[in-house]
């Protein structure tokens, strides 16, 4: 029997076990929406296409599955771009489907035509324009394969309207042939052996754990490695949760706003084992001052990350779970007692700290949230000071509990990503930590959350300004503040109520502590507007051009 | 140092844009890029000449490899290879200069492909050295226009810099 390409597309999604898609309809994608009538796949109507992309992203981060979003041609497609770029930077598996004008009109500046495959070349792992109706199933199969294997990322399929309405015989391929795509999964045995030797010879090893651990589901192997060789573990923003936050070997985040002891440990170590981390400039700061005395072992599935920013001694290209599995038997138990004593000393000497006096402190809010949240709660942040405080003060026992826009640093990520996260993990508490700036970038998605009856727990760290930029202006522009103070301030509690949530405003520590257990336990959606100290800075902070162990504190 | 990369790509729409875009986006400088079909219509061969040190070339290589359409890259710079480029040159040629120019054409084993009242159009193929030498010797006559194809290259001997039987049918079921 013949079916339309649009129907075939939906059948392909069913074959890929897609349970829900996030999207926003329009003319060019009409046939696909029509085909949604005949499926059990649930469509989540967002309020802006950026929200569809971030929601698919949040869903993917929590579930480990491929997130799917849909938009129409032209403005629908361009509205997705921030969301696609965000997923690309953070290596999130996503399939993006856009409608396109009919093939006869492509290239004519037709109504709502944009060259979305051209535009998204730099921000997708790959993309496809469907020209031959019979190729659709193969293309979808390729898209899911590319998105979810190797180093994951977003893949876009642009589907012209006339192609979507053609009829084809549907057959979903079992495998695909991509001659130019062969990710290396197994680490090279001789490299693994050498790594084992370097580690066994080291006296001051440190593990630098990144988002690749979460992607590879390699937390158990990471834990075994750390305990076997008694190496302290520092993590990137993306690696938070990959190593238990209550473990004695846990060092917290490194880098720009990392803990002083993590940065100092990296500076003093003689062996740095980078696992699924990409030596981002937020982490490394001045290259010559980064782990200057260490032999660096870099385990990453993407060969292009190796040696890109920092010179390393030993590369191992492969999947971290696989590589760590091969490495562990090569290692023997190590104690490193003097090194661990040094680490304990650093932790005592340079703890995270803030002034607890005065008005409600943003750090206190995240600390208390950390205290009251349950172990499996998912925390989603936006971008700014609140994000860094959450990364510094919150602890997780497992990965996929902390979602944040790291590589792109896209304000507006939080609310839609929380929508996606909650839909991906309906039985878990989803807490958002968001700034009063960032919430206003995508707050229309409160409508999506209300429609889907999602009991999100939204905590706005309201400093009535763009706190992170204010901090930058303090440090780099001699406190000349431009365009950082809002002159009009919204009553966020009231905003929450308008969307059917319980809305509260808290101004003191006591109010917060009284409210927290109650709102976190409540089955209702809640928005808590926390009026926090507008003068607080995120510290420690490594200034431009400094070494990571020279942070201002 | 100048490197010559022999790159095999899937002959998909947009593949040239992907490769060219990658170079500009990552700040890699292309000296020349030539692209055309191979004996397999599904596969194109690109010859890319790029300047940079080894570390830089390593990044170029790895980033190119990340493009799904790129099947294979061989840096043949240090191997024995044959390279050719075709150049069309239009040179001013009054009747009293023609004999001299034609002599040069002879020496360089070039060919005159068009004769105008005041100009000659000359085709020459060869490697970099020969082409620059020819260009220099014509310069005094007045080069009015010059177009180069960019270099194409192939390893000497039996070894292939690019093997292009990489396409199998999609396994449908
Ligand atoms: C305001 C702001 C401040 C920031 N400050 C900091 C800071 O102080 N410290 C900090 O750490 N970050 C900070 N960041 C985040 C930073 O920008 C980067 O996003 C982050 O450091 C990257 O994390 P990562 O190295 O773990 O790489 P990710 O982006 O998570 O990349 C994952 C890596 O793992 C590899 N990988 C993927 N899958 C596998 C697999 N199966 N096997 C092996 N490898 C795999 C990938 O190839 C990639 O190299 C900040 C961001 C913002 C917005
Ligand atoms: C889309 C986007 N625009 C601009 C920025 C630059 N930026 C980074 S942090 C920040 C301020 C964020 O303010 P707010 O959301 O109130 O959070 P706070 O820093 O006060 O916690 C800005 C403007 C960004 N990261 N993303």
């Amino acid at each position: 029997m013949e079916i339309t390409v649009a129907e075939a597309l939906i059948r392909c999604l069913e074959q890929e076990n897609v349970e829900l898609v996030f999207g926003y309809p329009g003319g060019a994608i009409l046939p696909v929406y029509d085909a949604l009538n005949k499926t059990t796949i649930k469509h989540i109507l967002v309020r802006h296409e950026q929200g569809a992309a971030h929601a698919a992203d949040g869903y993917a981060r929590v579930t480990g599955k491929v997130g799917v979003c849909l938009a129409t041609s032209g403005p629908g497609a361009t509205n997705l771009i921030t969301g696609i770029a965000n997923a690309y930077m953070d290596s999130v598996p996503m399939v993006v489907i856009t409608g396109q004008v009919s093939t006869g009109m492509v290239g004519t500046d037709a109504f709502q035509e944009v060259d979305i495959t051209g535009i998204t070349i730099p921000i997708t792992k790959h993309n496809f324009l469907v020209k031959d109706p019979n190729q659709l199933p193969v293309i979808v199969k390729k898209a899911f394969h590319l998105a979810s294997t190797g180093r994951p990322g977003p893949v876009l399929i642009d589907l012209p309207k006339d192609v979507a309405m053609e009829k084809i015989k549907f057959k979903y391929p079992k495998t695909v042939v991509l001659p130019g795509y062969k990710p290396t999964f197994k680490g090279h045995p001789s490299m693994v052996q050498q790594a084992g030797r370097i580690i066994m010879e080291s006296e001051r090893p440190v593990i630098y754990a990144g988002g690749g651990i979460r992607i590879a589901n390699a937390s158990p192997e990471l834990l075994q490695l750390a305990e076997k060789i008694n190496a302290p573990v520092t993590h990137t923003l993306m690696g938070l949760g990959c190593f238990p936050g209550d473990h004695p070997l846990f060092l917290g985040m490194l880098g720009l706003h990392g803990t002083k002891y993590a940065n100092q440990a990296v500076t003093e170590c003689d062996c740095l084992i980078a696992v699924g981390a990409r030596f981002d400039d937020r982490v490394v700061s001045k290259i010559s001052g980064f782990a200057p005395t260490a032999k660096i072992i870099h385990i990453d599935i993407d060969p292009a990350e190796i040696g890109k920013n920092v010179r390393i001694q030993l590369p191992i290209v492969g999947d971290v779970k696989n590589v760590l599995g091969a490495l562990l038997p090569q290692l023997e138990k190590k104690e490193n007692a003097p090194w661990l004593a040094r680490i304990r000393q650093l932790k005592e000497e340079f703890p995270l700290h803030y002034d607890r006096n005065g008005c409600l402190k943003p750090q206190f809010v995240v600390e208390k949230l950390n205290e009251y949240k349950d172990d499996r709660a998912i925390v989603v942040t936006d971008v700014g000071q609140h994000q860094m405080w959450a990364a510094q003060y919150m602890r997780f026992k497992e990965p996929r509990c902390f979602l944040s826009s790291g590589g792109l640093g896209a304000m507006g990520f939080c609310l839609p990503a929380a929508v996606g996260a909650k839909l991906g993990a309906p039985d878990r508490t989803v807490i958002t930590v968001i700034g009063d700036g960032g919430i206003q970038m995508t707050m229309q998605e409160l409508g999506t959350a209300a429609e889907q009856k999602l009991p999100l727990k939204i905590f706005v760290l309201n400093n009535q300004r763009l706190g992170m930029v204010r901090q930058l202006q303090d440090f780099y522009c001699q406190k000349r503040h431009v365009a950082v103070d809002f002159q009009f301030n919204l009553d966020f509690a009231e905003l929450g109520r308008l969307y059917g949530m319980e809305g509260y405003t808290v101004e003191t520590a006591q109010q917060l502590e009284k409210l927290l257990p109650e709102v976190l336990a409540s089955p209702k959606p809640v928005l808590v507007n926390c009026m926090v100290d507008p003068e607080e800075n995120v510290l420690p902070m490594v200034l431009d051009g400094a070494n990571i162990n020279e942070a201002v504190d | 140092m100048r490197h010559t990369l022999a790159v095999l790509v899937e002959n998909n729409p947009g593949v040239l844009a992907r490769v060219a875009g990658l170079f500009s986006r990552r700040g890699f400088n292309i000296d020349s890029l030539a692209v055309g079909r191979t004996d397999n219509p599904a596969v194109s061969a690109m010859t890319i000449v790029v300047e940079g040190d080894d570390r830089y070339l390593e990044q170029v290589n790895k980033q190119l490899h990340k493009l799904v359409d790129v099947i294979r890259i061989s840096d043949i710079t240090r191997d024995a290879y044959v390279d050719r480029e075709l150049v069309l040159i239009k040179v001013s040629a009054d009747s009293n200069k023609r004999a001299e120019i034609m002599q040069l054409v002879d020496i360089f084993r070039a060919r005159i492909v068009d004769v105008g009242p005041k100009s000659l159009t000359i085709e020459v193929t060869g490697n970099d050295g020969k082409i620059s030498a020819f260009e220099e010797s014509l310069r005094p006559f007045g080069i009015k226009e010059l177009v180069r194809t960019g270099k194409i290259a192939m390893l000497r001997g039996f070894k292939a810099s690019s093997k292009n039987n990489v396409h199998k049918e999609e396994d449908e079921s």
Side-chain angles (χ1 to χ4, degrees):
Chain A
M1 197 192 78
E2 295 208 324
I3 57 174
T4 67
V5 166
E7 286 162 351
L9 171 65
I10 303 303
R11 296 272 291 276
C12 295
L13 298 183
E14 289 167 352
Q15 296 280 323
E16 292 291 343
N17 298 316
V18 172
E19 48 175 10
L20 44 89
V21 298
F22 301 88
Y24 208 85
I29 199 151
L30 215 52
V32 175
Y33 272 81
D34 199 22
L36 279 169
N37 277 312
K38 298 178 203 153
T39 177
T40 52
I41 295 174
K42 195 170 164 197
H43 178 272
I44 309 296
L45 178 64
V46 294
R47 296 299 184 263
H48 183 295
E49 290 85 352
Q50 181 186 350
H54 287 325
D57 178 327
Y59 173 86
R61 286 186 207 227
V62 163
T63 60
K65 292 166 62 174
V66 177
V68 180
C69 59
L70 301 178
T72 194
S73 68
T78 53
N79 272 351
L80 290 172
I81 285 171
T82 303
I84 299 172
N86 191 66
Y88 182 72
M89 296 293 275
D90 287 347
S91 307
V92 178
M94 201 154 106
V95 167
V96 182
I97 297 157
T98 49
Q100 182 55 282
V101 301
S102 291
T103 39
M105 305 220 285
V106 167
T108 65
D109 304 316
F111 175 64
Q112 295 196 329
E113 181 192 357
V114 297
D115 173 13
I116 197 65
T117 48
I119 290 174
T120 57
I121 285 176
I123 53 167
T124 51
K125 188 167 171 184
H126 195 57
N127 62 28
F128 299 92
L129 171 63
V130 187
K131 284 182 170 163
D132 174 355
N134 291 303
Q135 282 297 308
L136 186 274
V138 172
I139 287 176
V140 178
K141 181 82 194 174
K142 284 182 179 172
F144 275 85
H145 179 67
L146 287 168
S148 59
T149 56
R151 179 177 183 171
V155 178
L156 180 139
I157 301 171
D158 198 23
L159 180 60
K161 189 173 187 180
D162 58 333
V163 176
M165 294 188 297
E166 295 261 356
K167 295 227 161 170
I168 58 167
K169 262 213 184 94
F170 179 69
K171 231 204 252 167
Y172 200 56
K174 276 210 176 108
T175 54
V176 285
V177 178
L178 288 157
Y181 179 74
K182 296 191 179 70
T184 311
F185 192 74
K186 253 187 89 197
H188 196 288
S190 87
M191 292 300 196
V192 174
Q193 220 165 35
Q194 283 184 54
R197 211 171 309 134
I198 294 176
I199 293 171
M200 288 315 295
E201 281 165 7
S202 72
E203 289 172 358
R204 302 184 307 279
V206 168
I207 298 170
Y208 154 35
I213 301 276
R214 163 183 46 94
I215 293 166
N217 295 317
S219 287
E221 288 78 5
L222 175 68
L223 183 62
Q224 283 179 50
L225 173 69
E227 291 185 340
K228 193 160 188 184
I229 61 168
N230 262 307
V233 180
T234 180
H235 62 82
T236 64
L237 181 70
M238 305 311 288
L240 182 50
C242 291
F243 190 76
D246 54 0
H247 197 285
L249 290 168
F250 179 81
L251 278 181
M253 186 167 79
L254 83 168
L256 179 70
H257 291 301
T259 59
K260 283 212 99 164
Y261 42 90
N263 285 341
Q264 190 60 34
V266 169
T267 307
E268 290 180 17
C269 73
D270 65 351
C271 172
L272 185 70
I273 311 164
V275 275
R278 58 185 175 82
F279 294 85
D280 186 82
D281 51 87
R282 307 283 93 176
V283 166
V284 173
S285 289
K286 194 164 147 198
I287 291 173
S288 60
F290 185 76
T293 51
K295 289 194 170 148
I296 303 181
I297 298 168
H298 190 184
I299 305 169
D300 202 293
I301 204 160
D302 181 355
E305 287 303 338
I306 287 176
K308 187 176 80 177
N309 300 337
V310 168
R311 275 181 202 271
I312 50 148
Q313 274 64 45
L314 193 88
I316 306 178
V317 177
D319 172 71
V320 283
K321 193 176 181 76
N322 187 285
V323 173
L324 292 183
L327 178 63
L328 279 164
Q330 317 252 347
L331 303 170
E332 282 153 43
K333 182 85 184 153
K334 267 167 72 67
E335 298 302 337
N336 311 317
W339 179 229
L340 293 187
R342 170 70 179 147
I343 298 286
R344 272 193 303 276
Q345 180 200 0
L346 287 171
K347 280 184 171 175
E348 274 162 30
E349 211 171 320
F350 304 112
L352 284 171
H353 60 89
Y354 63 92
D355 179 4
R356 285 163 197 271
N357 300 317
C359 50
L360 182 61
K361 298 290 176 168
Q363 298 94 324
F364 180 82
V365 179
V366 286
E367 239 179 2
K368 286 295 151 189
L369 270 171
N370 185 52
E371 200 178 310
Y372 286 103
K373 75 178 171 58
D374 62 272
D375 279 351
R376 300 212 68 216
I378 296 164
V379 175
V380 190
T381 78
D382 208 63
V383 171
Q385 290 184 309
H386 62 277
Q387 175 190 29
M388 290 297 113
W389 286 315
Q392 290 176 333
Y393 288 92
M394 292 187 130
R395 298 284 176 271
F396 300 89
K397 292 217 162 98
E398 53 177 297
R400 305 189 184 285
C401 285
F402 178 79
L403 276 49
S404 199
S405 167
L408 192 67
M411 287 172 71
F413 169 77
C414 182
L415 272 186
V419 167
K422 183 70 189 170
L423 285 161
D427 54 347
R428 291 166 64 183
T429 311
V430 174
I431 297 169
T432 79
V433 177
I434 191 167
D436 54 312
I439 191 174
Q440 296 187 67
M441 283 217 172
T442 47
M443 65 189 181
Q444 66 279 1
E445 302 308 335
L446 289 171
T448 312
E451 196 159 278
Q452 301 299 330
K453 306 194 166 47
L454 306 178
L456 300 180
K457 310 294 176 191
I458 298 176
F459 290 81
V460 184
L461 266 55
N462 187 353
N463 50 15
Q464 308 194 25
R465 55 186 3 182
L466 301 173
M468 183 58 103
V469 180
R470 190 272 308 153
Q471 176 170 346
L472 294 177
Q473 291 180 350
D474 277 6
F475 277 93
Y476 296 117
C477 312
Q478 284 81 45
K479 302 200 173 184
R480 292 185 298 270
H481 291 174
V482 178
V484 291
D485 288 303
F486 287 123
Q487 302 302 320
F488 175 81
N489 290 302
L490 205 57
D491 178 352
F492 292 105
E494 188 57 33
L495 176 76
R497 282 179 218 120
L498 286 174
Y499 280 102
M501 313 181 80
E502 286 179 2
Y504 304 93
T505 293
V506 294
E507 287 171 344
T508 64
Q510 294 74 6
Q511 287 173 345
L512 180 78
E513 282 212 78
K514 186 155 171 285
L515 193 67
L516 264 183
E518 181 191 322
V519 296
L520 287 180
S522 136
K524 298 208 176 103
V526 179
L527 190 151
V528 183
N529 177 31
C530 309
M531 302 305 295
V532 296
D533 186 348
E535 301 301 333
E536 274 299 316
N537 284 329
V538 181
L539 296 174
M541 175 178 182
V542 179
L543 296 180
D544 283 357
N547 294 329
I548 59 167
N549 66 333
E550 299 169 344
V552 179
D553 193 13
Chain B
M1 182 178 166
R2 268 206 180 156
H3 289 251
T4 303
L5 307 180
V7 183
L8 276 190
V9 299
E10 286 204 69
N11 189 14
N12 288 336
V15 63
L16 184 58
R18 287 180 207 279
V19 171
L22 178 103
F23 274 79
S24 69
R25 176 163 87 243
R26 301 231 172 228
F28 301 151
N29 285 317
I30 309 185
D31 267 22
S32 77
L33 188 157
V35 53
R37 291 245 180 122
T38 61
D39 57 318
N40 178 347
V43 175
S44 294
M46 289 188 177
T47 307
I48 306 174
V49 181
V50 49
E51 171 109 38
D53 61 23
D54 285 357
R55 185 138 184 254
Y56 177 91
L57 254 292
E58 187 184 319
Q59 260 302 304
V60 171
N61 233 294
K62 287 171 165 179
Q63 293 296 343
L64 267 177
H65 255 303
K66 281 178 80 165
L67 297 180
V68 173
D69 285 338
V70 170
I71 301 166
R72 198 174 142 147
I73 305 164
S74 323
D75 186 341
I76 60 174
T77 317
R78 292 187 173 98
D79 300 317
Y81 66 89
V82 199
D83 64 318
R84 288 291 178 272
E85 184 170 18
L86 186 147
V87 183
L88 291 174
I89 307 173
K90 187 173 289 174
V91 63
S92 304
D94 291 336
S95 48
N96 58 342
K97 293 278 162 57
R98 290 202 177 202
E100 207 181 323
I101 293 173
M102 282 160 81
Q103 217 174 3
L104 284 170
V105 166
D106 241 22
I107 295 169
F108 282 92
R109 280 191 275 161
R111 260 172 14 118
I112 293 171
V113 290
D114 185 49
V115 181
K118 285 185 176 168
S119 68
L120 290 173
T121 302
I122 302 165
E123 163 199 316
V124 62
T125 54
N127 60 17
D128 250 8
K130 174 178 167 186
I131 284 171
S132 325
F134 188 54
E135 190 186 327
E136 281 319 302
S137 47
L138 286 182
R139 198 173 295 287
F141 301 95
I143 293 173
K144 299 181 62 167
E145 193 179 349
L146 184 149
V147 186
R148 309 174 69 136
T149 55
K151 167 160 120 177
I152 56 172
M154 201 176 257
L155 286 178
R156 288 184 186 273
F158 190 67
K159 214 171 113 197
S161 48
S162 49
K163 159 174 104 233
N164 47 27
N165 54 343
V166 285
H167 247 263
K168 280 177 266 143
E169 264 309 292
E170 243 87 52
D171 167 18
E172 292 186 24
S173 63

